[in-house]
Amino acid sequence: MYFVYLMASQKHGTLYCGVTNDLMRRAYEHREGLAEGFTERHGVKRLVWFEPHDSVEHAIRREKRIKAYPRQWKINLIEDENPEWVDLWNRLSL
């Protein structure tokens, strides 16, 4: 299983889109500042959206499409499922 996910610094804050085969581990790395680079520099620690995929090819294709979309489209994607931009981390660990 692969996941495309969006992280945010805060509601309507800086966004990051990624792909992983271990969403819990990857979200933890972002939350704890262990993922060096963009997310660490911009305080992007809140998992606000994700979607599963059966193949890495589909996940990567979806990630690339999401990255190409305008910012408002990404905000709409998040708010369709998570209007308050709640950190979904706790839902992963249940």
Side-chain angles (χ1 to χ4, degrees), residues 5-92:
Y5 64 94
L6 286 166
M7 304 285 297
S9 59
Q10 61 187 2
K11 188 172 184 176
H12 296 275
T14 303
L15 298 176
Y16 174 82
C17 183
V19 172
T20 185
N21 66 343
D22 187 341
L23 186 58
M24 185 176 282
R25 175 191 52 79
R26 193 65 178 136
Y28 175 81
E29 291 171 352
H30 288 298
R31 287 172 58 84
E32 300 302 315
L34 303 174
E36 293 182 11
F38 181 86
T39 58
E40 182 186 26
R41 280 192 311 273
H42 295 280
V44 178
K45 298 175 182 253
R46 185 186 303 193
L47 177 65
V48 292
W49 178 88
F50 64 90
E51 104 186 340
H53 291 269
D54 291 330
S55 75
V56 68
E57 294 84 11
H58 290 136
I60 290 170
R61 194 173 318 125
R62 176 70 163 153
E63 176 203 26
K64 287 181 179 183
R65 273 189 261 138
I66 289 171
K67 285 183 174 182
Y69 291 140
R71 176 178 171 78
Q72 187 59 54
W73 187 93
K74 296 170 198 171
I75 290 170
N76 293 343
L77 181 67
I78 294 164
E79 291 184 345
D80 282 348
E81 293 182 27
N82 187 2
E84 297 303 316
W85 295 54
V86 173
D87 189 347
L88 303 174
W89 166 256
N90 292 329
R91 296 182 189 171
L92 295 179

